[in-house]
Amino acid sequence: MKPRRHGHRRRSRLEPESDLNITAFLNLMVVLVPFLLTTAVFTRQAVLAIDVPAPLPPDAVTPAPPPPPPTDEVPFSLSLRLAADGVVVLAGKEPPVTVPRGADGAYDGAALRDVLAAIKQRHPEHAAADLLSRPASPYADLIAAMDVAAGTGADGQALFPDVRLGDYLPEPGE
């Protein structure tokens, strides 16, 4: 037999119902609503008027703009090819200059810097150099040539800081 629970019913009848105290919540809302309204970002739509020309009728033919006049001026470009016997410097229309490897088998950084500094004096506005390597080029050779090309000359002037990397396939006799 279950014991009776008389105390539970009697207690709920005797205790008065308590009101919900929302004063703290209202205080929070009084502070929070003005704060949110002052910090809100209101979007503003702007209309930009653009005059678009009327479409041409389907049978109208528009003339093509005249081609630019031909120029025999080739833009200057600088390429450094890491060949097996040294670094081949190709500077625009100038004849190629080969900086041979040193006695230790590494590229001669000082000689390459001198060649690049002379090119920089003739073309001071140019800042890019293409560093082209063979597929089997040692990583150390690539980094050494990149450091020289992006470095500074003997006078402290920056040589060619924009170094772009690429591949070239060596000639069959190379």
Side-chain angles (χ1 to χ4, degrees), residues 84-138:
D85 58 342
V87 180
V88 179
V89 180
L90 303 166
K93 294 181 180 178
E94 299 175 14
V97 176
T98 301
V99 179
R101 289 184 180 269
D104 59 352
Y107 293 121
D108 187 359
L112 180 60
R113 183 177 298 110
D114 293 341
V115 170
L116 293 177
I119 294 171
K120 185 65 175 186
Q121 285 180 351
R122 292 190 297 273
H123 303 280
E125 73 286 346
H126 196 72
D130 297 329
L131 183 58
L132 308 174
S133 63
R134 298 171 288 130
S137 293

Side-chain angles (χ1 to χ4, degrees), residues 79-83 88 90 129-134 137 142 164-168:
S79 297
L80 307 172
R81 289 191 325 179
L82 301 182
V88 179
L90 303 166
D130 297 329
L131 183 58
L132 308 174
S133 63
R134 298 171 288 130
S137 293
L142 184 70
R164 300 176 294 211
L165 301 177
D167 292 332
Y168 87 93

